[in-house]
């Protein structure tokens, strides 16, 4: 691939934070799970923004690596009524109220039995928790601890109008944006959480923003977006796409990008992959609060992408990580918890990261013996002796000095401690003066 | 060697701190040196605890690497009498009073001449120092500085009833505990110091405790214990055992394990040997005060084991190191200076280290592509969504993620920052579920 | 090269700080530039100290790497006169008053036009700056900001009596001190600045001091001193000496060695070259305030020596670096700014560095299995048991332990954290006792 990047030029075409938030507001009420109509409705909305999105259906029972695609779960209604017939827990009020993958149920249960199927948070008594039981048959309700304390009757009528269909399927969406190169960048987000805004929707809307932007710019890499249910979705995708897996050069799992707090980048299992170094560099260049943390085999779908057989260079970008903010997996992770300007900043950072990956090349200095005479080319200040040396001039010297075939622009920006964009501009100027040769990958 | 470790199971069979201290109390009065009956008597007592101990006698004059086994020294009595015939320095009062390897002597000497043969500590005026002159013919007495100040007579009668026998021998003890593998772990301690408790006896009694325990448990490695005089003893052993040297995979010199202060582990010359990493990890896991220091070519017999020709992976475990506590090499390093609970803790740490070495293997994840489905095997919590992920679960994921053939359990515990024992348990559970294959060494 | 170093023995023969300063005082008034008689006069004085100095003349127009030797510039006089014929700016008062490489000029100019050719420092209004325009035709004057403020006339008469000779040449000096080996150490300093003491003269006089000393001592390496104008001078030298370039094993650019502040060593592009490690070690051993900084492709002639095609192991030794002290490139960088004792310390450090490079060898321990018996060779204290182990004894053990063919004395001094000189002495003693074999490079 022998052209330099134009990718960073068109950042202005990206969706605004408000537009991202508006998309999120449309998706928020839908009751998603790892299978079912919620995912389909969600991907229908996403397709309005990304017409090229392909929706895949994988039948229940299909083997996928060590797993099997589960029965498809759908739910129409769920409630607990007291003796007076009043709904004391009501799925229609909040879709978090039902334990995900609850089996169909109807009948009277003693309070003691009901209690074994209730989930609440004693230390956050106002919030409804999010709980699942995908792979073990169960039924249950999630509710605030205050609400739970009011359940004093001896018997309650329980109704769960759900279906678990062995002839159903698992649904995921995929968008491919071809570039000059067949080498791929993977962007992956999970789409299996019901009404949770930061966890799940923020990653999805940033992915939509990124894809909209990428669709409009020249692309060096081919970009592949995967919107899939957590764990089983990425496992299904990995099991069905060995050829694409082999083409992945860089990847990011996007999650929790709308809440408070600085960025958290969790490195890939490889730890020093180009994506790891690029994200760290752009966080530094953007001068935003952030932390870069080591890979651990827990978290989002990077667990699958970084399993030892695949060991893909895929990191995970979040703001405050899962389980480290009190709203995590509760009804407080709602639309108000996510701010448009936070989404916009998250989108901007990922754009900068992709632009840097796209622009990262190795050059060969055509005059490696001594410095080339920059002055006669108008690249150096004509009057000498002043103390200050502008960073632009220093960037030229760094690119010349390290363009020995061993160093990429990323290497140079790291070693020179200069912004990547400045190093890239210096390379562009030197290239325009025929002082560099772009090397093949 | 293709079984996992059972070695850590039987820690309860170890000697108690009180038993170790009682053994030390029996050995304390014996006047040991680098040769002679003191070493023989000492090894006779050790053999009561370790019936398999073999005592070797190496004739004086035998070449050993660049050295020669010295004449055998024995001493029956030594004294300095004043004109009134009163013993003003008396070997019978403390065996530190004689300069080790003093030649036989009897006669009157002027005080001025006597002074040249006296050793005392002006800054620790109550203590008798320990001094030696193994390789240069000499005679002398060690005494407290207060005692020395009282020597005001013009002439003293000196008597040293010692022998230096060219037909004698050097004595050392060796115990071999065979394991499933011929690969060896070397445990070495010096046994050449007279009445000094921490320096010399503490290492010996911890070695006895270790050997007693190892004798009762299944062993992967073969364990070799060497009780030998410092420097010349290890040199003699190294010179006579080239085949055993070649089988040593890990080793520890044990010394100064009964005094105050946290542990000090001095790394082998290799610095990153498995023994070095294992001791550091177990010190961390046991959460005891400790320091890990770099190798220097001074200290105990690790000097010989880590000489460049051998360069064995042998470190040295102590508590406060030599010369860094005021009682070092003085009469204050006595039985009261060493506490039973300190000995017990030292024994426990070395047990944990050997157990970890024994258990350290590499496994291959049988399902390296994506995570295996732990839930259907009962290894994962059935209800999802809660914030906390128990360390036990995380340990399973780490072992799966890093069991790619490149990482040992030690590597995993280091990278995961989890206790080795937890990582080992996780591996055992995964193995029981047929999710791992144990790899050969 | 199979002899050990005698180089450090004769440090007493070096020039004193006062002698270095006196030489500087002779050179200070000369108006140097990158070409011209100023450089020739300067090298004539240097040759009085270094009779072997060879002065090279390279014709203007000669291609050198990507550059071309410029026209030779000489200047006899330069002035700005007011209407009354009074010189308000006068080259005879200070040779910094003229912009270096000013073209000849004579005539009346309006003040507004004159202002475009004036250079002053508003924030340092008393000082005359140093400015150049080597490669872009121009004329100009440098003056204090106070002096500039007094120029209120409408017209001034400008006279610049300079020549720019296309038939001239560039002048540089070179001194070769052959050693036992053809491998070379390069010492380079720039000689193109007019009356600036720290910047340019301090490096030159330290180089003269070094060369005088080296000329009197046995030398392992061949030493090459280059006194050349900055940038174009080193480029010309590099272009004309490919064979010498190939023989350079170590090198130092000397600059700014007479001003205040601790030492600054800027590492070569290689970062871990022997010169880099040696300078860092000797700074540590001399216990002088210092900093060691990473290479950047800006500064003095290390820019050319460390260009990627050459990538020579050449660092730059200074005290406070360029542009980091207020006197830099101004009339305040005068003879009073440079102190004799500072020059002497700079010379001493460079001597220590060269002595260490010269002495740095690898040895093979002849008794690598166990320690050799040092006691019987008189290298070890005959009485054992004392707490203190003298560093001299420890140095012997370190040299024996690490002389396995892989470690140089530099490696040993670094790892042992002992002074290089002590390690060197230990090696000499061991060699004298036939315990080491000197290995070829």
């Amino acid at each position: 691939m022998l052209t330099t990047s134009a990718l960073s030029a068109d950042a202005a075409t990206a969706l605004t934070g408000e537009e991202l938030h508006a998309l999120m507001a449309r998706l928020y009420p839908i009751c998603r799970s790892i299978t079912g109509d919620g995912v389909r409705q969600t991907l229908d909305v996403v397709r309005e923004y990304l017409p090229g999105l392909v929706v895949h259906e994988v039948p229940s029972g299909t083997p996928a690596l060590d797993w099997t695609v589960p029965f498809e779960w759908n739910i129409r209604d769920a409630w607990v009524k007291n003796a007076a017939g009043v709904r004391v827990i009501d799925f229609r009020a909040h879709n978090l109220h039902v334990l995900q993958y609850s089996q169909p149920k109807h009948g009277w249960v003693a309070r003691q039995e009901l209690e074994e199927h209730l989930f609440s948070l004693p230390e956050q008594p106002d919030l409804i928790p999010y709980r699942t039981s995908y792979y073990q048959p169960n039924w249950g309700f999630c509710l605030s601890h205050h609400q739970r304390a009011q359940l004093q009757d001896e018997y309650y009528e329980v109704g769960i109008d759900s279906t678990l269909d062995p002839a159903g399927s698992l649904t995921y969406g995929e968008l491919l944006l071809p570039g000059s190169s067949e080498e791929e960048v993977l962007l992956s987000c999970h789409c299996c959480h019901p009404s949770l805004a930061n966890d799940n929707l923020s990653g999805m809307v940033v992915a939509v923003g990124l894809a909209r932007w990428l669709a409009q710019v020249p692309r060096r890499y081919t970009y592949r977006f995967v919107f899939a249910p957590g764990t089983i979705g990425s496992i299904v995708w990995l099991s069905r796409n060995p050829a694409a897996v082999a083409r992945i050069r860089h990847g990011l799992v996007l999650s929790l990008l709308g809440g408070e707090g600085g960025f958290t980048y969790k490195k890939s299992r490889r730890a020093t992959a180009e994506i790891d170094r690029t994200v760290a560099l752009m966080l530094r260049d953007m001068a935003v609060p952030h932390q870069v943390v080591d890979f651990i085999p827990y978290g989002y779908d990077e667990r699958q992408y970084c399993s030892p057989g695949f060991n893909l260079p895929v990191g995970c970008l979040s703001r405050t990580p899962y389980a480290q903010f009190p709203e995590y997996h509760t009804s407080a992770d709602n639309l108000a918890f996510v701010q448009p300007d936070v989404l916009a900043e998250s989108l901007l950072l990922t754009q900068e990261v992709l632009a840097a990956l796209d622009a990262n090349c190795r050059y060969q200095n055509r005059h490696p013996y001594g410095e080339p005479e920059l002055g006669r080319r108008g690249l150096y200040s004509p009057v000498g002796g002043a103390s200050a040396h502008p960073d632009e001039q220093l960037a030229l010297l760094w690119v010349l000095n390290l363009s020995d075939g061993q160093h990429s622009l990323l290497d140079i920006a790291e070693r020179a401690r200069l912004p990547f964009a400045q190093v890239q501009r210096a390379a562009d100027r030197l290239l325009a003066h025929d002082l560099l040769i772009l090397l093949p990958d």
Side-chain angles (χ1 to χ4, degrees), chain A:
Chain A
M1 213 294 308
L2 294 176
T3 64
T4 49
S5 178
L7 201 152
S8 57
D10 285 295
T13 63
L15 294 174
T16 66
E18 285 70 22
E19 289 167 324
L20 297 176
H21 199 274
L23 169 56
M24 179 181 284
R26 287 184 63 191
L27 299 173
Y28 180 75
I30 302 171
C31 184
R32 281 162 295 274
S33 184
I34 56 172
T35 60
D37 290 331
V39 177
R40 286 184 198 101
Q41 293 162 23
T42 299
L43 295 178
D44 282 347
V45 175
V46 168
R47 197 160 38 200
E48 293 177 25
Y49 288 74
L50 308 174
L53 186 79
V54 177
V55 175
H56 301 269
E57 298 284 349
V58 183
S60 298
T62 305
L65 304 176
D66 186 56
W67 301 60
T68 305
V69 174
F71 295 171
E72 179 177 329
W73 183 67
N74 281 291
I75 183 151
R76 272 172 300 269
D77 197 2
W79 43 263
V80 175
K81 291 181 188 170
N82 62 13
V86 176
R87 288 188 173 213
V88 294
I89 308 176
D90 185 358
F91 173 73
R92 297 175 312 191
H94 205 302
N95 63 34
L96 284 178
H97 274 312
V98 72
L99 176 72
Q100 288 242 324
Y101 261 65
S102 278
Q103 296 186 296
K105 179 162 187 77
H106 191 194
W108 287 84
V109 296
R111 179 155 60 91
Q112 190 174 1
E113 183 189 349
L114 178 62
E115 283 286 351
E116 288 165 18
H117 295 266
L118 297 183
F119 301 89
S120 64
L121 300 168
E123 299 188 1
Q124 296 173 294
D126 292 322
L127 307 183
I128 311 167
Y130 161 64
R131 292 291 180 273
T132 68
S133 186
Y134 302 134
Y135 300 102
Q136 177 150 316
N138 199 351
W139 62 269
F141 289 88
C142 303
L143 71 170
S144 80
H145 209 63
H146 285 148
Q147 194 176 5
R148 185 176 192 164
Q150 290 162 9
L151 302 182
Q152 299 297 340
D153 293 1
E154 292 233 355
Y155 292 90
Y156 286 94
E157 189 187 358
V158 169
I160 299 179
D161 182 10
S162 66
T163 53
L164 274 161
D165 185 357
S169 63
L170 175 147
T171 310
Y172 70 87
E174 195 173 15
L175 174 70
L176 195 72
L177 297 173
S180 326
S181 165
E182 290 198 337
E183 300 193 326
E184 295 196 7
V185 179
L186 173 71
L187 288 308
S188 175
C189 57
H190 62 290
C191 61
C192 56
H193 287 36
S195 294
L196 292 168
N198 193 31
D199 189 359
N200 158 58
L201 293 180
S202 70
M204 292 173 67
V205 301
V206 169
V208 168
L210 266 184
R212 287 265 291 200
W213 166 67
L214 285 167
Q216 302 171 66
V217 296
R219 293 176 298 274
R220 170 183 169 193
Y221 288 112
T222 291
Y223 291 84
R224 186 182 298 267
F225 288 79
V226 174
F227 299 82
T231 305
I232 185 65
S234 53
I235 282 171
V236 165
W237 183 83
L238 284 163
S239 74
R240 291 161 53 99
N241 291 280
V245 165
R247 288 192 297 265
I248 293 174
R249 291 295 165 271
H250 320 287
L252 278 179
V253 169
L254 301 173
S255 72
L256 302 173
L257 288 166
E260 292 168 353
F263 286 102
T264 297
Y265 177 66
K266 172 180 162 182
K267 291 189 277 191
S268 77
R269 183 178 183 273
R270 299 185 182 188
T272 56
E274 189 174 334
I275 183 68
D276 300 320
R277 295 166 54 206
T278 302
V279 177
L281 192 72
M282 300 323 285
L283 286 165
R284 184 201 72 176
D285 284 359
M286 277 184 63
V288 285
H290 68 273
Q291 59 176 340
V292 176
V293 300
D294 288 334
F295 175 78
I296 69 164
Y298 197 82
Y300 291 99
D301 287 317
E302 70 276 9
R303 290 163 64 165
Q304 312 310 326
Y305 300 128
C306 297
S307 56
F310 294 115
N311 195 23
L312 294 172
V314 174
C316 177
L317 186 70
S318 304
R319 304 196 70 115
T320 305
Y322 63 86
Q324 295 187 19
F325 55 97
E327 298 83 357
Y328 175 72
H329 277 190
T330 74
S331 51
D333 180 3
N334 56 29
L335 288 170
F337 181 61
V338 170
Q339 296 301 315
D341 59 331
V342 174
L343 291 171
E345 190 187 53
S346 297
L347 176 56
L348 182 59
L349 174 69
T350 50
Q351 288 179 296
E352 293 290 334
V353 167
L354 297 188
L357 285 173
D358 186 278
N360 190 30
C361 302
R362 286 174 307 117
Y363 294 93
Q364 176 69 50
N365 177 346
R366 294 171 65 95
H367 296 280
Y369 294 96
E371 292 172 6
E373 192 182 351
L374 297 179
R376 82 165 187 263
R377 296 171 173 93
L379 294 170
Y380 218 71
S381 51
V383 172
S387 291
H389 51 282
D391 274 0
E392 286 297 343
Q393 204 159 291
L394 191 58
L396 295 172
L397 293 174
W398 269 115
V399 173
L400 287 168
N401 191 274
L402 292 180
S403 288
D404 54 3
Q406 306 302 312
H407 296 88
S408 68
L409 295 188
L410 174 61
D411 296 324
I412 298 172
E414 286 180 341
R415 180 155 172 189
R417 299 186 195 110
L418 290 173
F420 182 88
Q422 189 165 55
V423 169
Q424 183 187 350
R425 273 196 305 276
D428 289 344
R429 290 178 71 196
L430 292 167
L431 199 62
H433 281 84
D434 206 24
L435 287 166
L436 297 180
I437 302 165
L438 181 58
L439 296 174
D441 280 344

